[in-house]
Amino acid sequence: MTFIDINFRNNLSAFYRTAFKDREMGRAKKSVSKAPPPAPTPVTWPKLRPKKGLVVSELVTDHIFLIRNLLDRSECDAFIKIADSQCIPTPGVPKRGEAFRNNARWSTVDEGCAQMIWESTGMNRLLSDWKHSDGKSPAGLFENIRLYRYGPGQRFGKHYDDYFFDKKGRRSEYTLLVYLNAISDERFATGSRPAGGETVFYAGRMTPVSIKPEAGMALLHKHGADCLQHEALELRDSFKYVLRSDLIFE
């Protein structure tokens, strides 16, 4: 065997060793990248019960409605506990076309929870005679359940809410916000002068409509093409918690 043959053989062996090593490292990298994500922390939803004497108050014709005492204090506190364990900060810089917001929030898809809120609170019976302009009626809540937590200095700028389609292809027509605490509740105070946090609606020459959070109070407002511009005012010396879903029609 010549000197050239020996070098060729040694170089070829080195090539295959390197190739084999690279291939094995590639497999290792792939196995790491395909590792399953950690399982989400299980959430135990509070058991809700129907309330007596619920009334729908219309603030702006066909646009803004209130239902006081939809949730009681213990139910609100249970949702607040979930919000504290799950909500994460919102990125400080909004995407193009999005309103500024700096509150913490959490979102999950849970058809069972949506159905529980709709039926167990008695909302389904309370809104049974509602009719949309196209003849459709309320059929339930959107399965995307969201929780919001606002702290001192946090707000959600002026914006419009769009509609959603649920898994059955049905469209939402109203945003549902359920306030879980009052800003003045001393349990959530961080200073001596808690204030702010109101949801304010604007439209043309209409005097702005300001809604002060009350524990357990539900706010329904029309969204999509008919949505009124609105915002959550900056909070001071307190925390604010909100449960969010959307009213589906069929």
Side-chain angles (χ1 to χ4, degrees):
M1 182 178 295
T2 65
F3 179 77
I4 296 177
D5 292 334
I6 294 173
N7 282 344
F8 176 77
R9 186 181 67 179
N10 290 340
N11 290 339
L12 189 62
S13 297
F15 170 80
Y16 280 119
R17 284 197 303 269
T18 302
F20 179 77
K21 183 178 180 181
D22 290 344
R23 186 178 64 182
E24 291 303 305
M25 290 181 66
R27 286 179 179 174
K29 290 178 181 178
K30 287 182 179 179
S31 64
V32 171
S33 64
K34 290 185 177 180
T41 304
V43 170
T44 301
W45 299 111
K47 292 183 179 180
L48 308 181
R49 60 180 184 83
K51 313 303 184 297
K52 296 181 180 179
L54 291 179
V55 176
V56 181
S57 302
E58 188 175 44
L59 296 187
V60 177
T61 305
D62 293 332
H63 276 277
I64 304 175
F65 302 83
L66 295 179
I67 306 172
R68 287 184 166 85
N69 302 313
L70 184 71
L71 301 180
D72 63 27
R73 176 165 170 164
S74 64
E75 294 166 345
C76 288
D77 287 349
F79 279 114
I80 288 173
K81 186 176 180 180
I82 296 172
D84 280 335
S85 67
Q86 301 290 340
C87 285
I88 59 175
T90 298
V93 180
K95 296 179 181 179
R96 184 176 182 180
E98 292 184 350
F100 173 83
R101 68 185 304 172
N102 56 354
N103 63 296
R105 49 182 170 158
W106 175 68
S107 173
T108 187
V109 175
D110 194 315
E111 295 179 68
C113 181
Q115 184 176 2
M116 176 186 66
I117 298 171
W118 175 241
E119 296 180 353
S120 297
T121 61
M123 193 187 303
N124 57 338
R125 295 186 295 276
L126 185 64
L127 304 181
S128 60
D129 60 347
W130 270 30
K131 290 289 183 183
H132 193 259
S133 57
D134 60 7
K136 294 181 179 180
S137 301
L141 298 181
F142 187 42
E143 58 263 20
N144 186 8
I145 305 299
R146 285 139 284 173
L147 288 170
Y148 301 152
R149 182 182 64 193
Y150 292 82
Q154 295 183 341
R155 63 184 179 88
F156 190 179
K158 292 180 180 180
H159 64 282
Y160 299 91
D161 291 356
D162 206 352
Y163 57 79
F164 298 95
F165 288 98
D166 70 1
K167 291 183 177 180
K168 297 180 180 179
R170 302 175 301 181
R171 198 175 90 168
S172 66
E173 301 292 346
Y174 286 80
T175 294
L176 169 68
L177 299 177
V178 183
Y179 301 106
L180 301 175
N181 71 301
I183 305 305
S184 58
D185 189 334
E186 60 183 16
R187 295 181 301 157
F188 304 96
T190 61
S192 60
R193 300 180 63 186
E198 296 90 349
T199 304
V200 184
F201 292 86
Y202 308 91
R205 298 181 180 179
M206 179 186 82
T207 301
V209 176
S210 179
I211 299 167
K212 187 176 182 179
E214 298 177 17
M217 181 175 72
L219 162 65
L220 284 162
H221 70 86
K222 205 167 190 179
H223 61 212
D226 296 325
C227 186
L228 299 178
Q229 188 182 50
H230 57 286
E231 65 176 325
L233 298 185
E234 184 173 327
L235 196 59
R236 187 182 67 201
D237 287 356
S238 189
F239 279 86
K240 180 179 77 171
Y241 294 83
V242 183
L243 168 67
R244 160 77 194 269
S245 186
D246 304 274
L247 187 57
I248 297 292
F249 279 67
E250 69 175 356

